[in-house]
Amino acid sequence: MLLISSKTKNKHMKINHRIIFSTALLSQLLLWAACGKSIFEKDYAGFDGKVLMAQATEGRNIVPLAMSSTPAQLAFGASYGKSMGPAPKDIPVEFELKNDWIAGYNAENNTDYIPLPEGSYSVSGLSSVIKKGKTTSEPLIITIKSKELDVKEQYMFPITLKSAGGEKIDSALTTTWFRIDEIIRPERDVTGQATLTVSHENRNGADAGEGSKKLVDNSTSTKFLVFDINTILPNFWYQLTFPAPIVLSAYTITSGNDALDRDPKDWKLLGSNDGTSWTEVDVRSGQNFSGRTMTVRYEFENEVPYKIYRMAISAVNGGTLFQQSEFRVIEYYEQ
């Protein structure tokens, strides 16, 4: 997957979030959002029933989900209308999961939601009761295993209030379209943990103003420059060596400040634990950096820890020099 930091995110391009919820906090936020009573702080125009789903209110059905080995919990239930006061009797309520409605929702709203896959969730039940003297039912819990989900997809979990013990249901607040628009994946930049080496250095050395150290100095206003690159290719590389094997899953490249024909065009990211045997972990060709000091993010599937990660550059964009402002590597981690 390729992500460009200057572009707006869509379902296939997701920019890194710097604020990551802890799983425990996330679960609490989901439960509070589902069970809170702030919906009753005002009357709703067109209210035409005694029982409703508070979660059906727009804004309360968006589920923030973090990738974690600890399942998140989402609550739903029924409420008795404010204007009616507390329930005068026990009101049994029944719900139904309506995955077959998702296609119609997508057609009407020009979206691409899919159902949560089997095995990625469980529901504590679809029946509850609004107890006499109460305004809300005992909550029902959806448990979601985020690690079973695909971060490239958007998911929907539509729950509808099917019956309320003979009481009329508010037609405007009958169905909650729980939506997972994004799965936030905890990550960290681990570039600083590694030691950089290069196959060919700037003619003035690593410490020069355009030496190799500028490649990982965490500044896009500097760059690494190599002369006469066509006499070196395809045997040019730079690599990061970590103290211990690590699983990387993404990296970013920032183009240089001038002459786009010096930008890297074709490369392979290789992994090794001995510096002799190498495995391809990502391959790119025909890359084009349309902007100067433009950061492009690349994601790849990798579950193998390697101690050394080598960027083997096989072509630049037509020039006789190589330049690159910055190279950063990303590790995903579990909370």
Side-chain angles (χ1 to χ4, degrees), residues 35-48:
C35 299
K37 298 181 182 178
S38 60
I39 184 174
F40 298 118
E41 293 175 359
K42 64 177 181 177
D43 292 321
Y44 286 87
F47 181 80
D48 61 3

Side-chain angles (χ1 to χ4, degrees), residues 196 198 200-202 205-208 210-216 223-225:
L196 174 72
V198 299
H200 298 78
E201 185 56 80
N202 178 272
D207 293 308
E210 295 178 330
S212 61
K213 289 184 178 180
K214 303 303 181 182
L215 188 63
V216 292
K223 70 180 180 183
F224 175 38
L225 182 69

Side-chain angles (χ1 to χ4, degrees), residues 110-289:
N110 193 29
T111 53
D112 294 299
Y113 291 103
I114 62 174
L116 288 171
E118 291 293 330
S120 69
Y121 71 93
S122 62
V123 183
S124 64
L126 293 172
S127 302
S128 189
V129 178
I130 304 174
K131 295 288 188 180
K132 179 180 178 180
K134 302 292 185 180
T135 58
T136 59
S137 65
E138 292 296 317
L140 299 166
I141 306 299
I142 307 167
T143 300
I144 303 174
K145 301 176 183 177
S146 60
K147 293 204 72 176
E148 301 295 322
L149 305 181
D150 186 339
V151 297
K152 298 186 294 296
E153 298 291 352
Q154 294 179 315
Y155 295 94
M156 176 171 282
F157 195 86
I159 292 285
T160 191
L161 179 55
K162 185 170 63 172
S163 65
E167 300 288 349
K168 190 173 182 181
I169 298 172
D170 181 7
S171 60
L173 297 170
T174 300
T175 301
T176 300
W177 305 87
F178 285 121
R179 306 196 299 271
I180 302 173
D181 288 341
E182 181 178 15
I183 301 171
I184 301 170
R185 194 159 40 185
E187 62 178 52
R188 53 189 161 226
D189 184 327
V190 293
T191 313
Q193 299 178 17
T195 300
L196 174 72
T197 53
V198 299
S199 64
H200 298 78
E201 185 56 80
N202 178 272
R203 61 175 55 168
N204 295 314
D207 293 308
E210 295 178 330
S212 61
K213 289 184 178 180
K214 303 303 181 182
L215 188 63
V216 292
D217 64 354
N218 206 20
S219 172
T220 59
S221 63
T222 61
K223 70 180 180 183
F224 175 38
L225 182 69
V226 176
F227 293 86
D228 301 321
I229 193 65
N230 289 326
T231 65
I232 302 169
L233 295 174
N235 299 312
F236 173 63
W237 52 260
Y238 57 82
Q239 66 187 31
L240 293 173
T241 302
F242 289 87
I246 186 173
V247 176
L248 297 184
S249 298
Y251 59 93
T252 64
I253 290 178
T254 303
S255 61
N257 63 327
D258 58 14
L260 59 83
D261 62 5
R262 303 174 182 179
D263 294 338
K265 180 182 178 182
D266 302 339
W267 65 79
K268 293 180 180 180
L269 179 63
L270 308 173
S272 177
N273 284 310
D274 58 11
T276 301
S277 177
W278 297 91
T279 300
E280 291 182 1
V281 292
D282 190 49
V283 179
R284 305 284 170 163
S285 61
Q287 300 302 294
N288 180 30
F289 295 80

